[in-house]
């Protein structure tokens, strides 16, 4: 069947106007894209300048603080040196060591001078005065010390420019002598060297750093290979009585050719897109002319065969079938010849639904077909029933005339079965959901409205059965991305919950949050009891260890007590003389005090070791930790004739840790190593402690030459109550591992290549400043 469809003149004009508008908007959109891209580049450049300015201000403040800290530290060291002069004099070894240490560790310090109240040098290092410091200016410096003597703190003098324009500033420190003498200690500081030492590489790569005074540059650090920009910033930097300006100027950043190339490529593509759009517009106009000639010839066939992929049937105004497609014939099981021309009662109408089918048939012929379609039941030629969804519309020919009705039919039998199965599945899902012990809820991500809750959720949070639409506060702050697993405490009911939050998509496509809350109150209570038990076991372990070494500590304390008694007898003998030697008496008393401090240190170490308290992390020196443990174990090591070897640990950085806990770990491991060598010949008994830094960790290796540990025992060694000793509790190594893991470290054991075992544990080194705990 063929028919022609001709549009009326007003319709053609309306369609032409619509097409012209659609063709014009595409080039306009392309031009708008190019403009938006240009604005984006400009905005990006402005944001980069703003970000650079903010970073410049932050880096300059950091650099100022770094310089202040360095000068404050130097001032503290010089005050300490002044105290040494006041108490011990410049000839003491303590003064020599401290002064040389300051000069070696502080390259910015050019020289140190000790001047009396007359302005005469008592001591200086180096012996020669730098050539760039004129004699007259040096005398002025010495004379300026009177401004400092009345002050309690160190003081900076005015800036001096030497012969080579070397910027110097003198740090003047008063020396408080017992006879109220007006002596001073002067340190000459080179400001250029100060900047070279204290400006880090990452600051120097970005900025040119200068110190200015009264608008004149005094000192600087810059890269000769980089050019400064106009972007700079300065802040006040005071060294009383001097007022400086610390200034940073940003270097020019070299832009890569890839960035320029990318910008050029995008701009070229934008121009090509605009040109191609206009060319496409011309091509579409020509194509529209051809399509207009073919539209009338193909309108009917497109409407019948290409509108849907399901069954299609066409009726004339009287209700006779005039066309059916192959899909419809396969659907009902009748051929086209059997159905064409049929009207009224169709052979695919089932007898039990005849009235329903007739009503729909008449509604279509009368032009009252529902836009939402009809759900009906048809019958195949073999008698099988199936469900369909039918949509009907007017049939318009190529000349725009209404010639009949066209219907599209969907076989929804499987869809209906899926709906029924889905309903049954939903009922089973709700049954399972209500049977869970966990509280499950689904809430809308935008509005927070509760979309689904199970029975346990309503019971746990006392939601009444008659509730309507409501919102509930989330357990924890939500964020998109990775799933959120956390714990939440219900302060109202006093329960702990383990909450699993997931962002998901609801059945209507909206974003929702699925949250599952499991009551873990009993688990948290059990964990708290276990924690308290572990603390008690740690205390018990320390007390047992102290009991085992009580006799050894008595021997250790006997030495300083015996020395004190001996020195006391010597003092009595000196005093009994007619003319007592005060010098000898003073030396004896001083040695008695040193021995008393030694005994007190031993007692204090024992008290802190056995004291039960909460972990307290603070900066700890490795040398102090090792000295404490070595003192506690000295008697055991001597008793068992063990050779103790410790590598050089004087330069190791400090760590943030609980000193007593780490001493307990090292004590237990080293004591275990001593006991492991009980059957080892005395000549071969060797205990080695090696502490080395590596990247961001500090490794402790305790090696012995004992009998070793069997491989099958290494897996069980750190488990609670497992021990290889006849009298052991099996908790020492478990507690040691808990302490190391509390400090974010690891503890393990391995065989020693030379025989015996090696216990290794690692601790993280601080990345920034050491962390403190209150």
């Amino acid at each position: 069947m063929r028919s022609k469809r001709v549009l009326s003149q007003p319709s053609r004009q309306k369609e032409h106007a619509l097409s012209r508008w659609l063709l014009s908007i595409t080039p306009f959109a392309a031009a708008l894209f190019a403009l938006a891209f240009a604005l984006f580049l400009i905005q990006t450049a402005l944001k980069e300048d703003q970000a650079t300015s903010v970073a410049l201000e932050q880096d300059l403040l950091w650099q100022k603080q770094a310089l202040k800290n360095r000068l404050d530290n130097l001032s503290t060291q010089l005050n300490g040196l002044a105290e040494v002069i006041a108490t011990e004099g410049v000839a003491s070894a303590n003064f020599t060591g401290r002064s040389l240490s300051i000069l070696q560790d502080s390259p910015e310090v050019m020289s140190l001078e000790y001047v009396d109240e007359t302005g005469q040098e008592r001591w200086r290092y180096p012996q020669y005065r730098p050539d760039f410091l004129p004699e007259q200016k040096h005398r002025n410096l010495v004379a300026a010390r009177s401004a400092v003597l009345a002050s309690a703190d160190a003081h900076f003098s005015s800036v001096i420019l030497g012969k080579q324009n070397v910027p110097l500033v003198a740090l003047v420190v008063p020396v408080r002598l017992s006879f109220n003498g007006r002596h001073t200690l002067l340190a000459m500081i080179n400001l250029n060297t100060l900047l070279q030492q204290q400006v880090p590489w990452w600051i120097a790569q970005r900025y040119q750093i200068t110190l200015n005074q009264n608008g004149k540059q005094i000192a600087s650090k810059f890269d000769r290979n980089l050019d400064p920009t106009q972007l700079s910033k300065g802040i006040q930097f005071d060294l009383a009585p001097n007022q400086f300006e610390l200034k940073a100027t940003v270097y020019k950043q070299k832009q890569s050719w890839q960035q320029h190339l990318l910008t050029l490529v995008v701009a070229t593509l934008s121009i090509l897109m605009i040109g191609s759009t206009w060319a496409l517009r011309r091509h579409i106009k020509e194509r529209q002319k051809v399509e207009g000639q073919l539209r009338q010839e193909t309108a009917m066939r497109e409407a019948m065969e290409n509108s849907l992929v399901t069954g299609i049937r066409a009726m004339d105004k009287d209700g006779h079938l005039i066309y059916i497609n192959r899909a419809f014939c396969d659907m009902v099981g009748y051929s086209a010849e059997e159905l064409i021309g049929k009207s009224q009662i169709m052979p695919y109408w089932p007898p039990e639904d005849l009235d329903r089918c007739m009503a729909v048939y008449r509604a279509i012929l009368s032009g009252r077909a529902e836009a939402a379609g009809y759900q009906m039941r048809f019958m195949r030629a073999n008698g099988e029933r199936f469900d369909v969804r039918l949509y009907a519309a007017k049939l318009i020919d190529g000349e725009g005339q209404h010639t009949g009705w066209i219907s599209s039919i969907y076989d929804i039998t499987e869809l209906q079965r899926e709906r029924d199965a889905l309903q049954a599945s939903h009922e089973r899902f709700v049954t399972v959901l209500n049977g869970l012990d966990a509280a499950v809820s689904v809430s809308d991500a935008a509005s927070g409205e509760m979309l689904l809750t199970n029975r346990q959720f309503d019971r746990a949070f006392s939601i009444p059965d008659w509730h309507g639409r409501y919102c509930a506060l989330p357990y924890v702050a939500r964020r998109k991305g990775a799933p959120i697993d956390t714990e939440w405490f219900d302060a109202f009911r006093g329960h702990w919950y383990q909450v699993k939050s997931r962002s998901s998509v609801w059945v209507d496509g909206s974003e929702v949050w699925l949250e599952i809350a499991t009551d873990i109150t009993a688990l948290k209570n059990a964990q708290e009891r276990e924690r308290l038990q572990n603390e008690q076991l740690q205390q018990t372990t320390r007390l047992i260890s102290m009991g085992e070494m009580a006799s050894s500590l008595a021997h250790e304390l006997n030495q300083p007590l015996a020395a004190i008694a001996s020195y006391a007898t010597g003092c009595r003998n000196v005093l009994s003389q007619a003319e007592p030697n005060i010098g000898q008496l003073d030396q004896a008393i001083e040695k008695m005090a040193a021995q008393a401090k030694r005994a007190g240190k031993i007692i204090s170490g024992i008290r802190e070791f056995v004291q039960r308290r909460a972990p307290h992390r603070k900066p700890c020196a490795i040398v102090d930790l090792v000295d404490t443990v070595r003192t506690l174990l000295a008697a055991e090591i001597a008793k068992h004739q063990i050779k103790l070897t410790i590598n050089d640990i004087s330069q190791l950085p400090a760590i943030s840790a609980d000193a007593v806990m780490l001493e307990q770990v090292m004590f237990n491991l080293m004591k275990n190593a001593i006991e492991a060598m009980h059957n080892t010949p005395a000549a071969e008994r060797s205990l080695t402690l090696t502490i080395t830094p590596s990247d961001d960790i500090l490794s402790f290796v305790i090696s012995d030459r004992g009998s070793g540990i069997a491989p099958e025992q290494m897996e069980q060694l750190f488990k609670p109550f497992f021990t290889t000793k006849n009298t052991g509790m099996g908790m020492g190594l478990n507690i040691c591992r808990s302490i190391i893991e509390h400090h974010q470290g690891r503890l393990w054991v391995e065989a020693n290549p030379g025989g015996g075992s090696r216990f290794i544990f690692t601790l993280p080194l601080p990345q920034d400043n050491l962390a403190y705990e209150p």
Side-chain angles (χ1 to χ4, degrees):
M1 172 183 168
R2 287 177 177 269
S3 65
K4 295 184 178 181
R5 176 175 174 266
V6 181
L7 295 176
S8 61
Q9 185 65 24
S11 299
R12 287 198 299 269
Q13 291 178 353
K14 183 178 180 180
E15 184 178 356
H16 180 68
L18 180 62
S19 300
R20 182 173 56 186
W21 181 80
L22 290 175
L23 291 174
S24 300
I25 195 173
T26 304
F28 176 77
L32 189 62
F33 167 79
L35 178 61
F37 176 74
L39 293 176
F40 169 77
L41 292 179
I42 295 174
Q43 185 181 14
T44 301
L46 293 177
K47 286 185 177 180
E48 289 180 355
D49 291 341
Q50 184 179 6
T52 303
S53 179
V54 172
L56 170 61
E57 184 175 359
Q58 294 176 349
D59 293 341
L60 193 58
L61 290 173
W62 182 94
Q63 184 60 64
K64 175 184 175 181
Q65 187 61 37
L67 292 174
K68 279 288 186 183
N69 292 341
R70 179 57 182 165
L71 292 175
D72 291 344
N73 184 34
L74 182 59
S75 177
T76 302
Q77 292 178 341
L78 291 176
N79 279 321
L81 189 61
E83 292 179 2
V84 172
I85 295 176
T87 57
E88 301 180 13
V90 296
S92 65
N94 190 11
F95 171 80
T96 303
R98 286 199 178 196
S99 60
L100 291 178
S101 177
I102 292 175
L103 291 171
Q104 291 175 359
D105 296 340
S106 305
E108 63 271 16
V109 177
M110 305 302 296
S111 64
L112 289 176
E113 297 184 42
Y114 173 49
V115 184
D116 60 13
E117 64 272 11
T118 64
Q120 185 176 2
E121 290 181 2
R122 290 287 189 88
W123 175 90
R124 71 171 286 109
Y125 189 90
Q127 295 298 328
Y128 61 91
R129 184 174 294 114
D131 297 335
F132 49 78
L133 182 59
E135 180 65 24
Q136 181 61 40
K137 291 186 177 182
H138 180 263
R139 286 197 298 272
N140 293 341
L141 269 178
V142 175
R145 69 185 179 83
S146 59
V148 184
L149 294 176
S151 174
D153 298 317
H155 191 75
F156 289 92
S157 71
S158 301
V159 172
I160 302 173
L161 293 179
K163 294 181 180 180
Q164 291 86 20
N165 289 327
V166 176
L168 301 173
V169 63
L171 180 56
V172 187
V173 179
V175 180
R176 296 168 182 82
L177 301 175
S178 58
F179 53 90
N180 294 327
R182 300 285 185 167
H183 293 190
T184 55
L185 181 66
L186 289 85
M188 303 298 296
I189 300 174
N190 189 331
L191 295 181
N192 270 333
T193 305
L194 178 65
L195 292 183
Q196 293 296 326
Q197 293 294 324
Q198 298 303 316
V199 176
W201 64 268
W202 56 272
I203 291 287
Q205 285 184 348
R206 298 179 184 174
Y207 315 107
Q208 174 180 320
I209 304 298
T210 60
L211 268 179
N212 301 333
Q213 187 179 41
N214 300 325
K216 181 179 178 181
Q217 178 176 317
I218 300 300
S220 66
K221 180 177 182 179
F222 61 92
D223 191 344
R224 300 181 182 275
N225 297 324
L226 299 176
D227 297 327
T229 62
Q230 299 299 322
L231 182 58
S232 63
K233 190 172 183 62
I235 58 176
Q236 187 174 359
F237 184 74
D238 294 335
L239 297 177
N242 303 291
Q243 292 186 353
F244 297 97
E245 180 189 35
L246 182 63
K247 184 177 180 181
T249 304
V250 179
Y251 288 122
K252 291 182 179 179
Q253 301 295 327
K254 297 181 180 179
Q255 296 185 352
S256 63
W257 62 270
Q258 292 92 339
Q259 294 178 339
H260 294 293
L261 180 61
L262 180 60
T263 304
L264 180 62
V265 169
V266 174
T268 304
L269 291 177
S270 300
I271 296 174
L272 291 176
M273 182 179 62
I274 296 174
S276 62
T277 304
W278 280 103
L280 181 62
R281 181 174 180 271
R282 293 182 58 187
H283 177 72
I284 292 176
K285 282 186 175 181
E286 296 176 357
R287 188 181 184 89
Q288 283 179 339
K289 294 179 182 179
V290 178
E291 289 178 350
Q293 298 173 359
L294 298 176
R295 189 176 296 112
Q296 293 182 354
E297 297 293 334
T298 59
M300 180 61 70
R301 190 166 296 278
E302 288 178 357
M304 296 183 64
E305 296 183 358
N306 299 327
S307 61
L308 297 172
V309 294
T310 57
I312 300 175
R313 75 179 186 184
M315 300 185 299
D316 59 16
K317 288 184 176 182
D318 297 329
H320 295 86
L321 289 177
I322 59 176
Y323 176 82
I324 56 176
N325 68 344
R326 183 183 298 274
F328 185 76
C329 293
D330 296 337
M331 191 181 298
V332 298
Y334 294 96
S335 63
E337 291 76 11
E338 293 176 310
L339 296 178
I340 294 297
K342 295 289 184 179
S343 65
Q344 295 298 324
I345 299 177
M346 300 295 180
Y348 48 81
W349 289 352
E352 66 275 11
D353 287 340
L354 194 59
D355 293 338
R356 166 69 174 168
C357 293
M358 183 60 71
V360 174
Y361 177 76
R362 290 172 181 172
I364 294 174
L365 292 180
S366 61
R368 294 181 287 104
E370 296 181 5
Y374 302 92
Q375 184 168 340
M376 304 173 63
R377 174 158 291 190
F378 282 179
M379 179 180 65
R380 292 188 174 93
N382 59 3
E384 180 184 355
R385 271 64 171 173
F386 63 99
D387 296 317
V388 297
R389 189 78 183 178
L390 184 147
Y391 297 90
K394 290 181 178 181
L395 182 62
I396 307 299
D397 63 8
E399 297 178 356
Q401 299 298 320
H402 176 208
T403 60
W405 309 93
I406 184 170
S407 302
S408 58
I409 300 95
Y410 294 88
D411 186 348
I412 61 171
T413 305
E414 292 297 328
L415 179 61
Q416 190 65 32
R417 291 177 182 172
E418 291 177 359
R419 288 178 178 173
D420 295 340
L422 182 61
Q423 180 64 27
S425 175
H426 175 71
E427 294 176 357
R428 292 193 297 270
F429 169 73
V430 172
T431 301
V432 173
L433 201 62
N434 289 331
L436 294 176
D437 293 334
V440 182
S441 65
V442 179
S443 59
D444 186 85
S447 64
E449 178 185 353
M450 283 293 178
L451 304 178
L452 175 66
T453 59
N454 69 339
R455 188 175 299 150
Q456 178 62 24
F457 182 91
D458 298 340
R459 185 185 303 117
F461 302 108
S462 302
I463 306 298
D465 296 336
W466 46 264
H467 70 78
R469 300 174 60 184
Y470 71 97
C471 297
L473 294 176
Y475 301 102
V476 294
R478 297 166 175 170
R479 67 177 185 273
K480 293 184 179 179
I484 303 173
D485 294 342
T486 186
E487 294 180 355
W488 173 73
F489 180 68
D490 183 1
F492 180 75
R493 299 179 68 245
H495 281 223
W496 278 97
Y497 291 91
Q498 183 182 39
V499 181
K500 296 180 180 296
S501 299
R502 302 290 188 275
S503 178
S504 185
V505 179
W506 196 234
V507 292
D508 59 356
S510 61
E511 183 182 3
V512 296
W513 279 95
L514 169 64
E515 293 174 308
I516 304 174
T518 305
D519 193 331
I520 58 171
T521 305
L523 178 61
K524 296 292 287 187
N525 293 337
Q527 290 176 348
E528 179 64 17
R529 289 194 299 270
E530 181 180 357
R531 185 186 67 80
L532 295 176
Q533 291 173 357
N534 285 337
E535 290 183 358
Q536 294 174 357
L537 286 173
Q538 290 183 27
Q539 177 68 7
T540 303
T541 302
R542 284 197 293 267
L543 293 176
I544 291 174
S545 299
M546 292 308 301
E548 293 176 353
M549 65 177 191
S551 60
S552 300
L553 290 175
H555 176 268
E556 188 70 21
L557 287 172
N558 210 15
Q559 295 179 2
L561 292 178
I564 291 174
S566 175
Y567 287 130
T569 302
C571 290
R572 182 180 295 275
N573 294 334
V574 172
L575 291 174
S576 63
Q577 298 175 3
E579 295 182 359
N581 190 329
I582 303 301
Q584 292 181 353
L585 186 63
D586 182 68
Q587 291 179 0
I589 294 175
E590 183 178 356
K591 292 180 180 180
M592 288 174 64
Q595 292 298 323
K597 288 181 180 179
R598 178 186 173 189
K601 184 177 180 182
I602 295 174
I603 298 301
S604 176
I606 298 173
R607 182 180 58 190
E608 290 186 359
F609 188 78
V610 300
Q611 183 181 8
R612 181 179 178 180
R613 58 181 178 80
H616 180 67
R617 299 177 67 178
K618 62 181 181 180
C620 302
I622 302 300
V623 175
D624 295 340
L625 296 177
V626 174
D627 286 346
T628 300
V629 176
R630 182 163 47 186
T631 301
L632 293 174
L633 290 173
E636 287 288 328
I637 292 173
K639 175 182 178 181
H640 292 86
Q641 301 179 0
I642 293 175
K643 178 183 179 182
L644 175 63
T645 303
I646 301 176
N647 67 318
D648 184 12
I649 58 175
S650 59
Q651 302 300 323
L652 291 179
I655 60 175
S656 177
D658 188 301
V660 175
M661 284 188 170
L662 288 187
E663 288 169 0
Q664 178 183 351
V665 171
M666 296 174 63
F667 176 84
N668 287 344
L669 295 180
M670 294 177 70
K671 191 172 185 299
N672 289 345
I674 293 172
E675 294 175 351
M677 293 185 288
H678 178 72
N679 296 326
T680 303
E684 300 178 5
R685 295 174 186 174
S686 172
L687 177 60
T688 303
L689 173 61
T690 306
I691 307 177
T692 56
S694 175
D695 296 333
D696 57 348
I697 63 172
L698 196 64
S699 298
F700 293 73
V701 181
I702 300 173
S703 306
D704 63 66
R705 297 296 298 276
S707 57
I709 302 172
E712 60 273 10
Q713 292 180 338
M714 287 187 179
E715 299 295 331
Q716 308 291 328
L717 203 57
F718 294 96
K719 291 185 178 181
F721 308 111
F722 177 83
T723 180
T724 58
K725 303 177 183 178
N726 296 329
T727 60
M729 294 178 58
M731 291 301 298
L733 291 178
N734 178 264
I735 293 174
C736 290
R737 172 171 280 185
S738 299
I739 293 173
I740 296 302
E741 290 178 350
H742 173 75
H743 289 79
Q744 291 81 45
R746 292 178 57 237
L747 170 62
W748 70 94
V749 62
E750 60 186 34
N752 190 0
S757 303
R758 295 197 306 177
F759 282 83
I760 305 172
F761 67 91
T762 60
L763 295 174
L765 289 172
Q767 299 300 318
D768 299 311
N769 292 333
L770 293 176
Y772 291 84
E773 289 188 0

